[in-house]
Structures are given as C-alpha cells and as structure tokens.
C-alpha cells in the first residue's frame, strides 16, 4: 500500500515519515507481507499486527506466534506489552508501537480518533513504600541503555534501527567488554524484577536477545531520549583521556 495524504481528523499509521490512512470498514495489517510491509526481514511475521475498528473503537491485535510489541502513550504514562494472540483498544489519540524482529527494532505511531484518556493525577502520600515499576538507574546503567539505543534515538520519527553488539557498544563508550557485560547483567536483572518481559529466558537464564528487548522497552517507555545522546561522547572522551 502506498502512503497517501490524510484528511484532518482521520485515523492513520505513520512509519518512516509516511502516513497510511485507516478505514473503519477493513482491517489494516502490519508485517513482512502486509498492508504496511515494514521490512523484508525473515524474523518478522508476514502479518504481525492488525488494526481494526469495532463499534467505533480502534483495536490493535498481535497475530504473531512468538513476537511481542511494546505499546505506549507517553503523554499519559502508559506502557504495556502486547503478546502473541493478545489485543488491546487504542484510546490515547497517539500511540507508539515498538517491536523487535531479529537484530532490528521498528517503531511506528498510530493516530486514532478515539476517546481521549487524561493523565492520571499524581497523589502524594505521607508514608508507606514507593510503588515499584519505574526503574531507578545509575549513571553508568543509563549510559549503557543510551548507547544500545543510539541509532533508534538519532532516527527522525518512526522507522527501523539496528542494535550494536556488546563489543561495539563497549568500544563506543570506551569501556572494557567485561564492564559492559556486568552492567548489562545488572540492568536486565533490575528490569526483570520490575516485570519487564524479555530480560530472561526459560529457567531464569539471561535471554540471548535481551539487548533488543531492552532497547524496545527503553525507547517505548521514554526511559532514554534524544536529549541524552551527548552523554555518549562525553563518556567516550572522559575514558579516552584517562
């Protein structure tokens, strides 16, 4: 399907700077061989995601058998994982969808004319334990995530990006590979404890594709942003001078 101009107020998908209008009368598929063919990537399902309108509400469904997508709406602080066979309504106006297939991470946005959800008012409490869910990162842990997500953060708008190997990322920061791997283990352990999927495989072992899932989660939930990118060169310069 070719991108088209989109009338004001119409629901559409945006990918790589192109807009694809949606019709409430038919389903819109996303995948390797779909209405929106994002990439000829053998790790990506032919039809992975589908958007359809049901009783005036837009739904996103995962048709895949082994890939998940991270769905977020930054304005209201929402982030969730859409696993194989699952579906969810899109009620945020603008929704960001990030998913990983093999070594590549993809990002697209859906602008849906759906009921708007307002940000939850933050309440203050006099005592008790802080609710867990938002990771607290050390400076070095955040640097690790930034360098892994560098290409995704430098990209203009939605699209696809590759993820560096651990050796490439360590060299970019000027770190020994042993330090990088130790920090990566720590970050993945922390996120796993917070319930972020993809950090561990079966039997509690660290997942082989955890770097990709880490980038997917960090980009979708805005743990790191483009404003953090200068920290990479600052760290590299500091280590080169030492």
């Amino acid at each position: 399907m070719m991108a088209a101009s989109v009338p004001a107020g119409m629901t559409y998908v945006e990918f790589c700077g192109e807009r694809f209008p949606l019709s409430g009368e038919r389903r819109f598929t996303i995948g390797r061989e779909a209405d929106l063919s994002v990439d000829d990537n053998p790790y990506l399902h032919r039809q992975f995601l589908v958007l359809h309108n049901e009783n005036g509400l837009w739904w996103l469904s995962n048709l895949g058998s082994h890939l998940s997508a991270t769905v977020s709406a930054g304005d209201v602080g929402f982030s969730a994982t859409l696993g194989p066979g699952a579906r969810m309504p899109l009620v945020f106006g603008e929704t960001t969808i990030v998913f990983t297939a093999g070594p590549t991470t993809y990002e697209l946005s859906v602008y849906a004319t759906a009921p708007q959800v307002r940000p939850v008012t933050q309440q203050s409490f006099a005592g008790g334990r802080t609710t867990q869910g938002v990771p607290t990162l050390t400076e070095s842990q955040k640097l690790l995530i930034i360098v892994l997500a560098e290409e995704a953060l430098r990209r203009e708008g939605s699209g696809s990006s590759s993820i560096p190997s651990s050796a490439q990322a360590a060299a970019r920061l000027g770190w020994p590979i042993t330090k990088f791997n130790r920090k990566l283990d720590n970050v993945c352990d922390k996120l796993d404890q917070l319930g972020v999927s993809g950090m561990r495989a079966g039997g509690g072992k660290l997942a082989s594709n955890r770097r990709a899932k880490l980038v997917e989660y960090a980009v979708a939930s805005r743990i790191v942003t483009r404003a953090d990118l200068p920290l990479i060169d600052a760290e590299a310069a500091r280590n080169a001078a030492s």
Side-chain angles (χ1 to χ4, degrees):
M1 174 182 291
M2 296 297 292
S5 59
V6 180
M10 187 172 184
T11 299
Y12 63 91
V13 175
E14 184 173 291
F15 179 70
C16 290
E18 295 185 301
R19 295 180 177 183
F20 302 83
L22 304 182
S23 169
E25 299 177 354
R26 65 182 299 272
R27 304 186 342 153
F28 182 89
T29 55
I30 300 167
R32 177 157 49 97
E33 298 175 6
D35 294 320
L36 172 53
S37 298
V38 297
D39 193 6
D40 185 19
N41 181 344
Y43 295 98
L44 180 62
H45 296 297
R46 288 181 173 85
Q47 294 190 354
F48 172 43
L49 301 173
V50 62
L51 289 153
H52 77 282
N53 192 287
E54 184 176 314
N55 298 323
L57 188 63
W58 283 97
W59 289 80
L60 175 70
S61 301
N62 184 340
L63 304 178
S65 59
H66 63 275
L67 296 180
S68 297
T70 300
V71 183
S72 65
D75 291 344
V76 295
F78 171 85
S79 180
T81 299
L82 187 70
R87 73 172 192 161
M88 65 179 295
L90 301 182
V91 296
F92 307 109
E94 178 183 351
T95 305
T96 299
I97 303 170
V98 183
F99 55 92
T100 301
T104 307
T105 296
Y106 303 89
E107 178 184 344
L108 55 89
S109 299
V110 179
Y111 296 82
T113 53
Q116 299 294 299
V117 176
R118 296 180 180 178
V120 178
T121 302
Q122 185 174 7
Q123 296 179 322
S124 58
F125 298 91
R129 298 178 62 185
T130 301
T131 302
Q132 296 188 7
V134 179
T136 301
L137 302 170
T138 65
E139 180 182 355
S140 59
Q141 288 173 342
K142 186 170 183 177
L143 274 167
L144 179 142
I145 298 175
I146 297 168
V147 75
L148 287 175
E150 182 177 10
E151 183 174 333
L153 296 175
R154 292 193 186 281
R155 181 187 60 218
E156 291 285 351
S158 60
S160 60
S161 57
S162 60
I163 299 168
S165 66
S166 293
Q168 291 170 329
R172 179 80 174 89
L173 293 170
W175 290 1
I177 186 62
T178 51
K179 175 180 178 179
F180 184 90
N181 287 334
R182 184 175 69 253
K183 297 291 183 183
L184 180 59
D185 289 346
N186 292 339
V187 170
C188 291
D189 281 340
K190 179 174 291 188
L191 295 181
D192 178 67
Q193 291 171 13
L194 292 176
V196 178
S197 63
M199 298 298 104
R200 289 191 176 275
K205 296 181 180 179
L206 293 170
S208 59
N209 65 336
R210 55 186 175 149
R211 288 180 294 108
K213 300 303 293 184
L214 176 58
V215 170
E216 178 181 315
Y217 172 77
V219 171
S221 59
R222 302 295 189 265
I223 291 178
V224 295
T225 67
R226 181 175 294 193
D228 296 316
L229 287 171
L231 297 176
I232 298 176
D233 290 333
E235 175 70 9
R238 181 163 53 247
N239 290 321
S242 61

